[in-house]
Amino acid sequence: MDDIVRQAIAKWPNVPDCYGWLALDARGDWYMRDDRVQAAGSFPAVKGAVLRHAKLIEFIQRNYEADDDGCWFFQNGPQRVYVELEAAPWVLRLAPDGQVLTHTGRPVQARTSHVDEGGRLFLHTDAGLGLVHTLDMHAAADRVEAGQWSPEPVAATDLPLRFGFVCSPAQRHLG
């Protein structure tokens, strides 16, 4: 977390949390979801506006964390902006040198691999569960064929409970 964010939390400790306004899709893209978009439907059926501003994305990614309940958020100064997740808290990229990186650029170690009914490949890493990016599925298939990963079948609906994350903090907050 950025020092300026820590300072803002100390200065304004009682800022209310924000729900439904930020989302992460299965390709690692961030989406802003204003009132109109939220009223039109839940994420990912209605995504909102994709964020393209590099410095804003870097700031979000440096300050992206989970709370004790498995709800992921972006700490925006003194305010927690909870994130709607399409598939998992992390979207993983496979580097040519064999390294696995989160969508935030963090190197992680894969512990186990899982494939859902839609053929999506998930890795349980030292940072939590991540979905392998679609552009890296050929490299992932090579790792499976080489015996580096042995994906276990899993139902997509079982992933949040099994790996301790919440896809929709907004629904949890309202419910």
Side-chain angles (χ1 to χ4, degrees), residues 1 3 35 42 50 58 63-64 70 83 86 107 147 154:
M1 187 181 302
D3 284 337
D35 285 332
S42 61
V50 68
E58 290 169 12
N63 297 285
Y64 178 60
V83 178
E86 182 172 351
V154 64

Side-chain angles (χ1 to χ4, degrees), residues 10-173:
K11 188 172 182 178
W12 298 290
N14 298 316
V15 174
D17 296 334
C18 180
Y19 293 89
W21 283 76
L22 186 63
L24 178 68
D25 78 357
R27 294 180 60 88
D29 290 325
W30 295 98
Y31 286 83
M32 187 65 71
R33 305 184 73 247
D34 63 18
D35 285 332
R36 181 189 55 76
V37 170
Q38 291 180 54
S42 61
F43 187 79
V46 181
K47 287 192 171 185
V50 68
L51 297 180
R52 295 285 183 219
H53 190 280
K55 295 293 182 190
L56 175 58
I57 292 168
E58 290 169 12
F59 181 62
I60 290 170
Q61 293 184 162
R62 282 194 315 271
N63 297 285
Y64 178 60
E65 301 180 8
D67 67 15
D68 292 338
D69 295 325
C71 295
W72 286 78
F73 63 90
F74 152 54
Q75 189 70 46
N76 184 25
Q79 184 175 54
R80 280 189 177 181
V81 178
Y82 281 93
V83 178
E84 301 292 294
L85 304 172
E86 182 172 351
W90 302 108
V91 176
L92 304 173
R93 300 303 311 259
L94 308 181
D97 66 359
Q99 199 171 38
V100 179
L101 303 168
T102 68
H103 65 278
T104 66
R106 175 180 174 180
V108 293
Q109 296 296 315
R111 295 178 176 165
T112 60
S113 57
H114 310 271
V115 65
D116 73 4
E117 61 277 6
R120 298 183 302 174
L121 180 64
F122 294 84
L123 301 178
H124 182 226
T125 75
D126 54 335
L129 190 72
L131 172 65
V132 174
H133 195 287
T134 56
L135 293 177
D136 294 334
M137 287 304 293
H138 286 289
D142 291 342
R143 292 184 189 191
V144 170
E145 288 178 4
Q148 292 176 314
W149 297 333
S150 299
E152 302 170 16
V154 64
T157 56
D158 293 343
L159 292 170
L161 184 60
R162 183 169 176 185
F163 294 100
F165 67 93
V166 176
C167 285
S168 180
Q171 286 180 353
R172 181 180 231 187
H173 177 71

